[in-house]
């Protein structure tokens, strides 16, 4: 397996171009088969993460809205898959553009084929498009969990397309396109601390704010509901943990030692984050929490994401501990600010992404980045490059602020459009989004009411519930 291109590309570069004519030449000769195999595999792993998000969110939510969250996650794949083909890839990874956004030179994937990508000369545009399209799909899926229990489905779907275009694409451009202002400034974000996690966490907070609190929400204790299906939470965590190897490891954009190191530090941070969160929860109730472990794993994974291609294994332990601790305590912020963030997306993703970005400013090591044989960075504080922390902070602030404000603007304007009101009506909230919006259910028995108002009276026939308007299981 070649570590680099078999032959050096000598065609048109720097502008939109197919990279050659496949009828008169072999466009594959510039790339390694091993790099192709790894990035295609990584693309599939990141795709697996999207239903993982759905199961994770579904398990945390109430039984009567469980299927809606899985449905929204799957719709994110479809909606953003089209958006990415239509103009998303061009706006984010065109070879030309300003400091803030790309152009439409690759509109409809025009001329996206064999030219070396803006991400790495080791893979062509078409493969980079496939891989980055999965990142674009998972980010709205992370944010849209804010609709839990109270958000209508149609506005969520419309929001995904608009948000991906106006928010995700510009932030990803700033961070990963060589023309982007953050990239030029020197910001380090290996796999999506700002474009994926901070942006989705900020959007979830904004969505929760614009939707308003769920019925029965209490500012002190939230809602008196526990996760309805912890098995789904575990299943979602497994999908995410496995998929994160493609998420972070694939971001090396080649099959090399840097990719292996990214996988190693990802696994260490997840492991440490899991038992850190467990210990924090145990101190309160003297019980070992499965949901706490899964939450800690996600916190560790989120935190290590921006630094996974830059830091050492010992630093990954710090990422796991700090990510687990800070995200755990950040779950209390929603009570302080009075926003009903139903699934703690802000605490896990926005706060976890900020933690990861700042720690990268401290622990990024030049020799780790150079494990791919070509990347050169000044490093972070451990390389005595003290300005790096300021760059990371600027990147965090810009990403969070832009995502939060633009999400509020998008939702405010959408709510004015007839048919796109954000919130489900009170009756749909009462029966649940699965019944009110989908007409399908995650479980057969979900149609049996457990409300006290529908409890049987002493000696009453069970069929009496049907006369009260409660849907039967048949």
């Amino acid at each position: 397996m070649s570590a680099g291109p078999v032959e050096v590309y000598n065609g048109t570069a720097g502008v939109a171009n197919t990279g050659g004519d496949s009828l008169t030449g072999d466009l594959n000769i510039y790339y390694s088969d091993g790099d192709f195999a790894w990035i295609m595999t990584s693309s599939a792993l990141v795709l697996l993460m999207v239903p993982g998000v759905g199961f994770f969110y579904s398990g945390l939510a109430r039984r009567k809205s469980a299927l809606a969250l899985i449905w929204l996650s799957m719709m994110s794949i479809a909606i953003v898959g089209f958006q990415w083909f239509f103009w998303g890839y061009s706006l984010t990874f065109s070879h030309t553009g300003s400091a803030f956004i790309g152009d439409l030179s690759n509109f409809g994937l025009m001329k996206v084929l064999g030219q070396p990508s803006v991400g790495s000369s080791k893979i062509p545009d078409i493969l980079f498009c496939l891989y980055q399209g999965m990142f674009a799909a998972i980010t709205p899926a992370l944010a849209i969990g804010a609709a839990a229990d109270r958000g209508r489905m149609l506005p969520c779907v419309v929001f995904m397309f608009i948000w991906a275009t106006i928010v995700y694409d510009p932030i990803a451009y700033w961070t990963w396109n060589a023309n982007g202002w953050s990239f030029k400034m020197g910001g380090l974000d290996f796999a999506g601390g700002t474009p994926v996690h901070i942006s989705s966490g900020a959007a979830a907070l904004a969505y929760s704010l614009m939707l308003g609190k769920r019925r029965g929400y209490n500012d002190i204790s939230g809602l008196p509901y526990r996760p309805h299906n912890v098995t789904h939470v575990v299943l979602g965590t497994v999908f995410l943990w496995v998929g994160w190897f493609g998420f972070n490891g694939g971001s090396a954009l080649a099959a090399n030692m840097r990719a292996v190191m990214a996988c190693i530090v990802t696994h260490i941070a997840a492991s440490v984050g899991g038992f850190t969160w467990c210990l924090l929860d145990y101190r309160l109730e003297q019980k070992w929490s499965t949901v706490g472990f899964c939450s800690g794993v996600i916190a560790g994974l989120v935190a290590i994401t921006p630094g996974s291609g830059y830091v050492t294994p010992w630093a990954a332990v710090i990422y796991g501990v700090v990510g687990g601790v800070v995200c755990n305590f950040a779950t209390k912020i929603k009570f302080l600010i009075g926003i009903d963030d139903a699934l703690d997306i802000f605490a896990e993703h926005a706060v976890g992404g900020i933690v990861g970005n700042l720690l990268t400013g401290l622990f990024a090591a030049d020799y780790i980045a150079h494990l791919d044989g070509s990347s050169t960075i000044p490093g972070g504080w451990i390389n005595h490059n003290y300005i790096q922390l300021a760059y990371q902070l600027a990147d965090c602030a810009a990403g969070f602020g832009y995502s939060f404000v633009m999400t509020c603007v998008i939702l405010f304007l959408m709510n004015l459009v007839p048919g796109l009101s954000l919130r489900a009506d009170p009756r749909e909230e009462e029966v649940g989004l699965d019944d009110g919006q989908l007409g399908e259910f995650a479980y057969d028995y979900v149609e049996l009411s457990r409300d006290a108002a529908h409890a049987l009276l002493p000696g009453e026939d069970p069929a009496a519930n049907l006369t009260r308007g409660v849907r039967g299981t048949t």
Side-chain angles (χ1 to χ4, degrees), residues 227-238:
H228 93 276
N229 190 329
V230 176
T231 304
H232 272 188
V233 177
V234 174
L235 180 63
T237 301
V238 171

Side-chain angles (χ1 to χ4, degrees), residues 43 48 66 68 74-75 122 126 148 157 179 186 198 214 243 257 276-277 304 356 370 466:
S43 300
L48 179 68
M74 298 306 294
M75 283 300 293
K122 296 179 180 178
I126 191 67
V157 170
N179 295 316
I198 294 177
R214 291 167 290 173
M257 289 183 67
T276 297
W277 195 299
I304 195 62
H370 202 66
L466 296 180

Side-chain angles (χ1 to χ4, degrees), residues 151-399:
R152 294 178 61 233
M153 300 295 101
L154 177 60
C156 287
V157 170
V158 174
F159 170 78
M160 289 177 190
F161 187 92
I162 298 173
W163 189 87
T165 301
I166 295 179
V167 179
Y168 177 79
D169 292 347
I171 295 177
Y173 180 89
W174 304 344
T175 306
W176 289 321
N177 194 303
N179 295 316
W181 69 264
S182 182
F183 188 98
K184 289 182 176 180
M185 176 183 68
L188 298 177
D189 192 334
F190 189 67
T194 299
V196 177
H197 297 297
I198 294 177
S199 71
S200 64
L205 187 69
Y207 211 122
S208 299
L209 173 65
M210 299 300 287
L211 272 179
K213 299 171 184 176
R214 291 167 290 173
R215 298 179 67 199
Y217 185 85
N218 184 292
D219 286 336
I220 303 300
S221 58
L223 279 169
Y225 302 113
R226 303 177 71 178
H228 93 276
N229 190 329
V230 176
T231 304
H232 272 188
V233 177
V234 174
L235 180 63
T237 301
V238 171
F239 281 7
L240 288 165
W241 199 334
V242 172
W244 229 292
F245 280 78
F247 195 85
N248 288 356
S251 292
L253 301 179
N256 52 39
M257 289 183 67
R258 193 180 187 191
V260 178
M261 181 61 78
C263 290
I264 287 286
V265 298
T266 296
H267 187 60
I268 293 171
S271 301
V272 175
F275 68 70
T276 297
W277 195 299
C278 263
L279 290 172
L280 287 171
D281 283 359
Y282 184 82
R283 87 189 196 283
L284 298 176
E285 298 184 14
Q286 285 70 56
K287 293 183 183 294
W288 300 106
S289 169
T290 305
V291 173
F293 174 78
C294 293
S295 299
V297 167
I298 302 304
L301 289 168
V302 170
I304 195 62
T305 292
S308 54
Y310 300 115
V311 302
T312 59
W314 64 263
V317 175
I318 300 174
Y319 275 80
V321 172
V322 176
V325 171
V326 175
C327 290
N328 181 289
F329 284 102
T331 60
K332 313 304 180 188
I333 295 176
K334 64 184 180 183
F335 302 119
L336 297 176
I337 60 179
I339 296 178
D340 181 12
D341 180 11
L343 305 177
D344 288 320
I345 304 169
F346 165 75
E348 287 271 21
H349 293 279
V351 174
I354 292 170
V355 167
N357 270 358
L358 298 183
L359 289 178
T360 300
L362 301 179
F363 298 109
D366 51 4
Y367 72 96
I368 296 294
H370 202 66
L371 285 174
D372 61 7
S374 58
S375 296
T376 302
I377 64 168
W381 280 26
I382 64 171
N383 287 130
H384 307 293
N385 181 36
Y386 302 111
I387 192 62
Q388 190 62 50
L389 186 61
Y391 294 158
Q392 301 300 107
L393 184 60
D395 187 78
C396 290

Side-chain angles (χ1 to χ4, degrees), residues 159 163 166-167 199 202-211 339 400-416 422:
F159 170 78
W163 189 87
I166 295 179
V167 179
S199 71
L205 187 69
Y207 211 122
S208 299
L209 173 65
M210 299 300 287
L211 272 179
I339 296 178
F400 184 92
Y402 182 78
S403 179
F404 183 84
V405 172
M406 290 307 301
T407 300
C408 288
V409 171
I410 293 168
L411 293 173
F412 176 79
L413 295 176
M414 281 179 56
N415 208 38
L416 300 177
L422 303 177

